[in-house]
């Protein structure tokens, strides 16, 4: 076999290295896409299973203490069973962006339909939500269409990270940057 000049070996070694770097970059990009797609698929699957637009929520205030504390994560299920007094529901009010976690103190359900009227109260609040002015002006009840779901399970204090990221947005961006850097610099 004829001998190849050293320069030829160096050039082909550099080309192989550059190709593997490009290939590794593509593989990392695909891995990131698969992670994001998997997370979205899991979330959508939970939405279908629970019947709730938001199957997992974080308690954002102390209004439900001592039952639920600020930072607890609640797992919700909407279901079709009747709502009873004493159940904890998560609902939204038309003029508020943040869902509310409170206990049902009175439930009115018509036997001929799925129409439900709920009166709610935070465990740590002195009065119900109507008397406390939590509902939208003119609203006297929480209707079933406002209910996101009922609390079926919770994890204490795990949601503190979410609260910190909402109160200090730079933490959220630093975490996203760090995770992105980890994906890009990983060896596989």
């Amino acid at each position: 076999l004829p001998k190849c000049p050293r320069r030829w070996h160096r050039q082909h070694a550099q080309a192989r290295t550059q190709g593997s770097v490009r290939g590794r970059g593509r593989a990392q990009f695909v891995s990131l896409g698969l992670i994001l797609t998997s997370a979205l698929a899991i979330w959508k699957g939970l939405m279908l299973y629970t019947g709730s637009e938001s199957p997992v929520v974080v308690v954002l205030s102390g209004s439900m203490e001592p039952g639920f504390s600020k930072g607890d994560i609640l797992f919700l299920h909407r279901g079709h069973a009747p709502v009873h007094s004493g159940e904890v529901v998560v609902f939204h009010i038309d003029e508020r962006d943040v869902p509310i976690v409170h206990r049902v103190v009175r439930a009115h359900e018509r036997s001929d339909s799925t129409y439900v009227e709920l009166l709610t109260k935070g465990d740590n609040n002195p009065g119900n939500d109507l008397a406390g002015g939590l509902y939208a002006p003119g609203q006297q009840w929480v209707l079933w269409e406002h209910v996101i779901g009922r609390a079926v399970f919770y994890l204490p204090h795990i949601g503190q990270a979410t609260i910190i990221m909402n109160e200090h947005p730079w933490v959220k961006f630093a975490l996203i940057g760090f995770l992105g850097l980890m994906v890009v610099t990983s060896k596989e």
Side-chain angles (χ1 to χ4, degrees):
L1 290 171
K3 287 192 162 189
C4 297
R6 288 180 188 245
R7 190 175 71 186
W8 183 86
H9 284 292
R10 255 182 286 155
Q11 288 173 343
H12 285 284
Q14 287 174 346
R16 280 194 307 263
T17 303
Q18 289 172 350
S20 67
V21 168
R22 273 190 240 119
R24 188 171 52 209
R26 280 189 289 256
Q28 290 168 340
F29 183 74
V30 168
S31 293
L32 180 61
L34 287 173
I35 290 169
L36 294 175
T37 303
S38 297
L40 180 63
I42 289 169
W43 184 258
K44 291 294 186 179
L46 278 173
M47 287 174 65
L48 287 173
Y49 177 73
T50 63
S52 176
E53 66 190 56
S54 182
V56 179
V57 296
V58 176
V59 178
L60 298 175
S61 75
S63 69
M64 284 301 291
E65 290 180 349
F68 298 114
S69 300
K70 183 177 179 179
D72 290 353
I73 291 183
L74 301 180
F75 294 86
L76 309 179
H77 191 278
R78 195 152 191 271
H80 298 291
V83 178
H84 300 289
S85 293
E87 287 188 272
V88 174
V89 294
V90 178
F91 59 95
H92 60 85
I93 299 294
D94 291 334
E95 298 179 358
R96 293 180 182 248
D97 294 334
V98 179
I100 299 163
V101 179
H102 279 179
R103 190 174 305 278
V104 174
V105 292
R106 190 174 303 146
H108 298 278
E109 185 172 0
R110 294 184 186 165
S111 60
D112 61 341
S113 70
T114 58
Y115 186 79
V116 178
E117 296 174 329
L118 306 172
L119 182 63
T120 56
K121 176 188 178 299
D123 291 353
N124 201 23
N125 294 347
N128 65 48
D129 293 340
L130 177 61
L134 183 67
Y135 298 158
Q139 181 180 2
Q140 295 183 350
W141 303 95
V142 173
L143 302 178
W144 183 244
E145 63 207 37
H146 296 127
V147 175
I148 297 170
R150 314 166 204 230
V152 293
F153 181 74
Y154 84 103
L155 294 172
H157 308 294
I158 303 295
Q160 287 293 344
T162 301
I163 293 172
I164 290 169
M165 285 188 277
N166 283 334
E167 290 175 353
H168 307 286
W170 66 269
V171 174
K172 183 186 326 182
F173 295 122
L175 180 63
I176 290 170
F178 175 73
L179 292 174
L181 185 65
M182 294 298 291
V183 168
V184 170
T185 60
S186 68
K187 299 283 183 192
E188 291 185 24

